[in-house]
Amino acid sequence: AQSVTQLDSHVSVSEGTPVLLRCNYSSSYSPSLFWYVQHPNKGLQLLLKYTSAATLVKGINGFEAEFKKSETSFHLTKPSAHMSDAAEYFCVVIYSSASKIIFGSGTRLSIRP
Amino acid sequence: DAGVTQSPTHLIKTRGQQVTLRCSPKSGHDTVSWYQQALGQGPQFIFQYYEEEERQRGNFPDRFSGHQFPNYSSELNVNALLLGDSALYLCASSRTLTTVPYEQYFGPGTRLTVT
């Protein structure tokens, strides 16, 4: 079955340290992959997207993600966390063959001062 | 340029009642998708409208129905409300005929509470 898995429900890092949020998807031909961020009481905002171009994708606010087909992963990273990064992050997969839009269960990112 | 707008912001209904939620897409967008986000969970896809027709549907019962108008705005209707329908309902718009389909822009959501 087509699915997406966010491996950590909660990640806590210190301000200024690297961030890694993990996402794996079930193998499929030509998936489109997205990361969205949701701040408390706010709508979802697109961070970055992968659509079969460069495997390393740069997004807003210093985030980037690398598409690794061999590992069916699309992990989100940031070199240095900022307090304003505290939010819920969702990995989203779209399988073009079925055009289904699937959200991961989310990872809550906390930043320690 | 106004983004995706939704109304109302909050809504409280009683079990068994019916509710209508509204969404106006971002300028230039022709496709509207609706999602249900229960507390502490990721959004679940309800359905998507394009050219005033339901194009895709997730695993939601027929109590959930929708409509898209000629100006691309959309409504989500839920009949016979259950306590479990309490959630944040998100609307997202996109432009179908693009090189990056399904790049969606989300509205702030409508918080529905069923008592």
Side-chain angles (χ1 to χ4, degrees):
Chain A
Q2 296 166 336
S3 64
V4 56
T5 303
Q6 290 185 242
L7 297 161
D8 307 292
S9 60
H10 182 213
V11 169
S12 179
V13 302
S14 297
E15 189 175 20
T17 64
V19 174
L20 170 63
L21 305 184
R22 298 183 292 168
C23 173
N24 285 93
Y25 62 94
S26 59
S27 180
S28 178
Y29 176 72
S30 299
S32 294
L33 297 153
F34 304 78
W35 275 99
Y36 282 84
V37 60
Q38 187 175 36
H39 290 274
N41 301 316
K42 298 242 177 120
L44 287 151
Q45 181 184 20
L46 179 66
L47 273 180
L48 48 80
K49 58 185 182 282
Y50 166 77
T51 54
S52 74
T55 57
L56 183 61
V57 180
K58 293 188 184 298
I60 62 172
N61 300 336
F63 284 94
E64 60 183 38
E66 186 172 7
F67 173 69
K68 292 186 176 180
K69 188 174 182 178
S70 60
E71 299 176 9
T72 62
S73 69
F74 190 59
H75 301 335
L76 181 70
T77 60
K78 182 173 180 176
S80 177
H82 191 273
M83 294 301 292
S84 61
D85 294 329
E88 189 86 18
Y89 291 79
F90 293 97
C91 181
V92 179
V93 181
I94 299 172
Y95 295 96
S96 57
S97 61
S99 297
K100 287 187 178 292
I101 304 164
I102 305 174
F103 273 74
S105 55
T107 298
R108 181 164 61 92
L109 176 63
S110 299
I111 313 295
R112 302 186 299 270
Chain B
D1 173 30
V4 180
T5 60
Q6 293 185 244
S7 64
T9 305
H10 294 88
L11 204 52
I12 300 175
K13 290 286 189 178
T14 304
R15 274 180 300 176
Q17 287 188 317
Q18 179 264 345
V19 68
T20 297
L21 310 182
R22 296 176 176 82
C23 172
S24 291
K26 181 178 168 63
S27 177
H29 286 186
D30 56 12
T31 302
V32 173
S33 302
W34 286 93
Y35 295 83
Q36 180 194 66
Q37 185 177 18
L39 199 62
Q41 297 183 24
Q44 299 292 315
F45 175 69
I46 302 174
F47 43 52
Q48 183 181 82
Y49 276 84
Y50 172 64
E51 292 189 336
E52 302 179 49
E53 291 189 359
E54 184 181 293
R55 183 161 70 172
Q56 294 181 64
R57 189 178 184 92
N59 296 324
F60 279 81
D62 292 344
R63 298 187 297 109
F64 290 77
S65 63
H67 189 76
Q68 186 180 34
F69 300 94
N71 67 353
Y72 308 119
S73 67
S74 177
E75 290 181 349
L76 164 65
N77 301 292
V78 186
N79 294 322
L81 285 166
L82 304 173
L83 293 179
D85 295 332
S86 295
L88 180 68
Y89 287 85
L90 295 166
C91 169
S93 74
S94 55
R95 197 166 55 170
T96 290
L97 297 180
T98 64
T99 56
V100 184
Y102 303 115
E103 181 175 348
Q104 300 191 333
Y105 291 78
F106 283 82
T110 294
R111 173 73 62 187
L112 172 65
T113 302
V114 182
T115 62

